[in-house]
Amino acid sequence: MSHRRGRSTALATAVAVISLPLVAATGQAGAAPAATAQQAVAAATPAHPFPTHVTYKTGVMPSASQSARDAAVTKQYGSWKSKYLRAACGGYLVYATGDAPNKGTVSEAQGYGMNIVPLMAGYDADAKTEFDGLWHVVSTHRDSQGMMEWKIDGSSCKYADSGTPDGATDGDLDVGYGLILADKQWGGYTSAANDWLAKLYAADVASDGHLKCEDDGPNTDTRPSDHMLDHLRAFAAYDTAHDWNKVVTRTEAVIKAFTAKYSPTANLLSDFVVKANTSSPQPAPADYQESQPDNIVGYNSVRVPWHMGTDALLYGSSVSVGVATKESASYKSHAGGDPAKIYPHTKLDGSPTQTDDQSEAANDPVGVAAMAAGDQAWTDKLWNFLATNPYGDTYYGETIKMLVYIVMAGDYWSPAS
């Protein structure tokens, strides 16, 4: 199954935050989906209202003032919400432009939304209603293993890919993290979070502890953009019924073994990795699942600097700090210190390819790695670049930017704290 990243060239326009009504399954305006009794009694006041102003364990912050950073986040949120959060299918969809038909969604998008909305609670008075709507769509579109069907038509609200419905690990991880965030933010999601994490562990974790690419995929491959170590550490603290520390340890081992052999200087990871269940993981064949090709950095692994940097900032992990530092330095060197010259397709030695194809999905994540690396000047350049969208990115780039903004502003709190 291919989880290809579509990219639109339509220019984005900043719009103020709007409130969207929940809709019935017909797609028409109507009543909100029924909340569980547990959710109904949950406190409406968020425990961690935005802005949270987190002190990270390592790294530097952008030189912009805290108030300026918070304002940048809320401006991006207003734009993101007005364009991509839409009422449909009895709840809310994150409209994944180019990836799903009829303004539909994919599990990755729903997971992103379920992370963004709880983090913006307190600023967005409708955050809990919106989160419940996002979760409603996820929970009513499950495959045989209990994970969200990875692609949903935005009109019929049915599975929108060929074959038997299946899930994608990145979306599964973010949905689980979102439920934990919601539980820590408002309370009332403990049962849902524990049930999801149990199913996720059974579906997406191979016997040796590495993360599979999808729940119906082989037990021998992995996708580094799924290596959200901060999520895994939060799962370990929250869900003691499953050995998430084993997943952390195995994920770090795959990262270390791969980078030592294939990218010792840049510490880059290819879009897909095979032989992940051995001591010698290696790049997947060029056309393993997609056509970017899969044996270098493409539209999947552009997210790795963000994930490694986030884990480094929140937890101070030596593995994540090391990878983030080398990746930041590699991108800076090959771009000549110019964020606009970071490209989505990069060889494992750091040299860019396909320089005619650009996206902010490649530039923005490096800002988090630069913070973790402690590179103040590079962090500031990348922070300033966030305010632009020179490539006309839509859902994918703009949603990654939203989450990167929250981290770089210092407003990304950990539910494991």
Side-chain angles (χ1 to χ4, degrees), residues 317-343:
S317 160
S318 60
V319 172
S320 295
V321 171
V323 172
T325 298
K326 287 189 174 182
E327 290 197 345
S328 173
S330 176
Y331 280 112
K332 180 181 180 181
S333 173
H334 287 89
D338 181 356
K341 294 182 180 179
I342 297 173
Y343 301 96

Side-chain angles (χ1 to χ4, degrees), residues 63-108:
S63 296
S65 69
Q66 183 66 70
S67 61
R69 298 199 303 266
D70 293 342
V73 173
T74 56
K75 180 180 180 181
Q76 176 65 14
Y77 185 63
S79 176
W80 177 85
K81 180 178 172 179
S82 67
K83 295 181 185 72
Y84 306 114
L85 188 63
R86 65 177 294 258
C89 301
Y92 281 101
L93 299 183
V94 174
Y95 170 28
T97 55
D99 282 353
N102 297 313
K103 295 186 177 181
T105 193
V106 290
S107 60
E108 160 209 283

Side-chain angles (χ1 to χ4, degrees), residues 86-278:
R86 65 177 294 258
C89 301
Y92 281 101
L93 299 183
V94 174
Y95 170 28
T97 55
D99 282 353
N102 297 313
K103 295 186 177 181
T105 193
V106 290
S107 60
E108 160 209 283
Q110 290 297 104
Y112 285 153
M114 288 175 67
N115 281 213
I116 292 167
V117 170
L119 291 168
M120 296 304 296
Y123 171 76
D124 183 351
D126 298 321
K128 188 177 185 303
T129 298
E130 293 155 358
F131 181 86
D132 288 343
L134 290 163
W135 170 232
H136 175 78
V137 171
V138 171
S139 63
T140 56
H141 293 83
R142 302 200 190 207
D143 67 10
S144 62
Q145 299 192 63
M147 298 291 92
M148 182 183 170
E149 298 170 349
W150 89 275
K151 183 188 288 189
I152 303 298
D153 186 293
S155 177
S156 70
C157 301
K158 295 180 179 180
Y159 185 62
D161 201 7
S162 59
T164 303
D166 61 352
T169 301
D170 56 350
D172 300 345
L173 291 165
D174 273 328
V175 167
Y177 196 72
L179 287 167
I180 295 176
L181 284 171
D183 201 33
K184 298 296 184 179
Q185 188 68 283
W186 299 292
Y189 299 89
T190 307
S191 178
N194 281 328
D195 178 71
W196 183 271
L197 292 178
K199 289 181 169 63
L200 191 159
Y201 196 94
D204 292 337
V205 177
S207 59
D208 69 311
H210 82 265
L211 291 166
K212 299 159 56 179
C213 294
E214 58 266 338
D215 59 3
D216 65 344
N219 291 308
T220 56
D221 61 8
T222 192
R223 185 168 58 163
S225 57
D226 299 341
H227 295 177
M228 306 171 198
L229 286 163
D230 70 301
H231 289 25
L232 298 176
R233 295 186 209 279
F235 295 167
Y238 188 93
D239 173 28
T240 56
H242 300 89
D243 193 357
W244 291 104
N245 286 317
K246 175 183 177 180
V247 187
V248 171
T249 299
R250 184 61 196 152
T251 300
E252 290 183 333
V254 171
I255 291 169
K256 289 190 291 184
F258 183 96
T259 55
K261 183 169 183 179
Y262 296 102
S263 188
T265 301
N267 267 206
L268 299 175
L269 294 108
S270 55
D271 268 14
F272 292 90
V273 170
V274 295
K275 296 186 178 181
N277 59 327
T278 74

